[in-house]
Amino acid sequence: MNLLIADDEAVIRRGLLSLDWKSIGITDVYSVANGVEAKELLLSTSIDLVIFDIRMPGFSGLELAQMVKERSMDVAVVLLSGFSEFEYARSAMRYGVYEYLLKPVSIDEFFKALEHIRAQIEKEQKKQPDMLGSLEQVFGAVVYGQLEPDEAIR
């Protein structure tokens, strides 16, 4: 599993980069200083998990979360923010953000949240082959005349 950290504060980026990511199964960590760089990396590299600062130059974390959702990208989004305004949290929910963490956040709370997200991702990845198998069964039943096409859509 890999991670992208996007935060315009160098101190925050360095702090996050210094964490023991391998201990929670994250093998590759990318780091960028603004929303433009984050968007470019997201569009050019397969990323599993992102941590976006809510406010940064170029694109905000919310704008990037919206892009991830609109493009149906298979990326888990975490927003890290110094702002507790409800509107930010509501927008985050609308865009399918996994976690909205307020700065300052303790390392324990941060890792617990990320471990929870990783477990959710792995659970969803295990379900995907089951869904594909079910779709193949329905398609096969239609092809072999065991099921009418309009019955398959119900």
Side-chain angles (χ1 to χ4, degrees), residues 46-70:
S46 177
I47 302 290
D48 301 307
L49 174 64
V50 295
I51 300 170
F52 294 141
D53 185 9
I54 196 118
R55 286 190 186 169
M56 58 186 160
F59 296 98
S60 72
L62 282 174
E63 290 169 322
L64 292 167
Q66 181 180 8
M67 180 198 78
V68 165
K69 180 163 179 78
E70 287 174 351

Side-chain angles (χ1 to χ4, degrees), residues 71-92:
R71 292 177 182 233
S72 299
M73 299 172 82
D74 193 18
V75 178
V77 177
V78 173
L79 289 178
L80 192 56
S81 175
F83 305 97
S84 61
E85 285 91 12
F86 177 71
E87 189 55 38
Y88 284 141
R90 186 165 72 175
S91 293

